[in-house]
């Protein structure tokens, strides 16, 4: 079955165990408080990663619901936005939230990508008037849901400041760059897509083309290994043969340590100890393609 086809899988016990939350508390009913707990716990426990494209266990990412649940929850791996946000959408629906999948264009050094290669969630919470932007599948999203309101600066507990800006028919998500004190674009999406009824929204099957772009040989994900895990205080990133830790993540006291990984053995050790990825998932992992990739690829991660 494809992710996002609006039928439940009984995910709560497995998902709650994976992210370290109480099933009893979550089963009390959907609330904004619980949505905040889920979002932050997800980012803290399940990394964004592309290990399979660099020899890690398993084939390419798919939109298959059971296969994705087995990978993320049972094998304790991470994945791409389609996997991370797709499976979270399944679980939130199971818990009683309304969920929309929304395609978006990622901003990079050369501007916005020409095609939508990212998907995020718009979540409705019973009793709340506002809709909420939720993203657990980006390199560094906000650690809590953001209200879908325009031109309002929203600070989240890790120190990130975000805002949504209307640009004609599109909406741009921006974040405040502490070094320049200026807002920088992160994602762009069609505004209308975030406000349709959840039942009228797309299923994840409609994002197959985006997944194909991620898997293409020209994709940066195919060229270089990247693994990211976030807490309020710390950002952990492996980009090729470099391990970076940023703490605290924002503010004048933020600092970064950089460690060059000298071997695949050292890489595997970091992934096990710092990202808690089981060693059995890393047996075929290699840095070969990463070492051939341009130095500036993921250089700012």
């Amino acid at each position: 079955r494809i992710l996002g086809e609006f039928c439940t899988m009984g995910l709560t016990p497995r998902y709650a165990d994976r992210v370290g939350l109480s099933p009893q508390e979550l089963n009390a009913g959907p609330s904004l408080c619980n949505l905040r707990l889920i979002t932050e716990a997800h980012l803290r426990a399940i990394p964004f990663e592309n290990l399979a494209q660099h020899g890690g266990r398993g084939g390419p990412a798919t939109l298959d619901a059971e296969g994705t649940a087995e990978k993320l929850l049972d094998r304790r791996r991470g994945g791409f936005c389609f996997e991370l946000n797709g499976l979270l959408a399944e679980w939130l629906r199971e818990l009683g939230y309304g969920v929309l999948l929304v395609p978006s264009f990622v901003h990079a050094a050369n501007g916005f990508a020409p095609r939508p290669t990212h998907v995020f969630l718009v979540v409705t919470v019973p009793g709340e008037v506002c809709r909420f932007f939720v993203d657990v599948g980006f390199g560094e999203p906000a650690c809590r849901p953001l209200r879908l309101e325009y031109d309002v600066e929203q600070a989240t507990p890790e120190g990130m400041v975000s805002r949504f800006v209307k640009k004609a028919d599109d909406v741009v998500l921006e974040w405040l760059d502490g070094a320049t004190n200026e807002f920088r674009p992160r994602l762009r999406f069609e505004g209308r897509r975030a406000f349709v009824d959840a039942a009228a929204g797309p299923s994840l099957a409609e994002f197959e083309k985006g997944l194909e772009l991620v898997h293409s040989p020209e994709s940066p994900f195919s060229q270089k290994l990247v693994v990211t895990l976030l807490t309020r205080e710390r950002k952990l990133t492996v980009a090729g043969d470099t391990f970076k830790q940023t703490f605290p993540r924002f503010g004048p006291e933020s600092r970064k340590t950089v460690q060059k990984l000298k071997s695949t053995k050292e890489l595997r050790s970091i992934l096990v100890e710092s990202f808690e990825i089981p060693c059995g998932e890393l047996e075929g992992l290699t840095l070969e393609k990463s070492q051939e990739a341009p130095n500036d690829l993921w250089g700012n991660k």
Side-chain angles (χ1 to χ4, degrees):
R1 187 174 63 81
I2 296 293
L3 283 164
E5 288 186 344
F6 300 95
C7 68
T8 60
M9 299 173 60
L11 288 168
T12 294
R14 296 158 70 193
Y15 228 131
D17 175 71
R18 179 72 171 96
V19 300
L21 296 176
S22 164
Q24 292 75 23
E25 182 179 18
L26 297 173
N27 284 333
S31 67
L32 179 56
C33 178
N34 278 349
L35 183 62
R36 288 171 173 162
L37 287 174
I38 289 168
T39 303
E40 188 167 358
H42 200 297
L43 290 167
R44 185 172 61 239
I46 306 180
F48 180 95
E49 52 100 330
N50 63 342
L51 297 178
Q53 285 172 280
H54 298 270
R57 180 185 168 197
T62 73
L63 303 182
D64 175 71
E66 286 77 11
T68 301
E70 190 252 348
K71 177 186 177 185
L72 270 57
L73 307 182
D74 302 335
R75 289 165 46 201
R76 308 186 79 82
R77 282 277 299 278
F80 291 112
C81 64
F82 304 103
E83 300 169 287
L84 298 169
N85 284 327
L87 193 65
L88 178 59
E90 294 271 355
W91 189 31
L92 292 177
R93 291 185 184 118
E94 185 174 297
L95 292 172
Y97 297 89
V99 184
L100 273 171
L101 297 159
V102 181
S104 62
F105 301 78
V106 176
H107 191 273
N110 296 324
F112 285 105
R115 303 177 197 173
T117 56
H118 184 64
V119 61
F120 65 86
L121 309 180
V122 171
V123 180
T124 54
V125 181
E128 299 287 340
V129 175
C130 187
R131 294 187 172 204
F132 294 89
F133 171 101
V134 173
D135 194 348
V136 297
F138 201 54
E140 189 171 13
C143 76
R144 281 191 174 179
L146 299 173
R147 299 184 308 278
L148 264 178
E149 299 174 341
Y150 302 137
D151 301 317
V152 177
E153 296 183 13
Q154 301 182 54
T156 38
E158 79 281 24
M160 181 179 286
V161 178
S162 308
R163 70 181 183 187
F164 295 99
V165 179
K166 197 85 164 63
K167 305 279 189 180
D169 294 331
D170 290 343
V171 178
V172 176
L173 170 63
E174 300 179 336
W175 72 292
L176 185 64
D177 184 340
T180 63
N181 203 36
E182 296 179 348
F183 278 92
R184 293 171 51 190
R186 311 201 76 199
L187 296 173
R188 176 172 59 83
F189 58 95
E190 292 182 69
R192 64 178 180 83
R193 287 183 173 267
F195 293 97
V196 300
D197 184 82
S203 75
L204 204 61
E206 297 178 42
F207 295 86
E208 189 70 49
K209 187 62 179 177
L211 191 59
E212 290 176 7
L213 292 172
V214 164
H215 286 149
S216 73
E218 295 77 24
S219 164
F221 299 106
S222 295
Q223 296 179 53
K224 197 168 190 175
L225 176 75
V226 62
V227 188
T228 303
L229 196 64
L230 302 170
T231 70
R232 288 191 188 190
E233 300 80 18
R234 190 177 298 259
K235 177 184 180 183
L236 306 178
T237 302
V238 169
D241 60 358
T242 302
F243 176 43
K244 301 178 184 179
Q245 300 184 68
T246 305
F247 54 94
R249 289 174 53 198
F250 295 93
E253 297 181 2
S254 179
R255 59 194 178 94
K256 182 179 292 185
T257 66
V258 180
Q259 176 183 348
K260 209 69 174 173
L261 304 176
K262 301 179 180 64
S263 66
T264 302
K265 181 180 178 181
E266 193 172 9
L267 167 64
R268 290 172 183 161
S269 177
I270 290 291
L271 294 176
V272 171
E273 294 172 9
S274 297
F275 295 85
E276 299 186 3
I277 297 174
C279 60
E281 298 290 320
L282 309 173
E283 291 177 0
L285 194 64
T286 174
L287 283 169
E288 183 178 348
K289 289 194 292 183
S290 294
Q291 291 167 339
E292 296 173 354
N295 290 331
D296 60 350
L297 191 63
W298 308 127
N300 62 338
K301 296 299 180 186

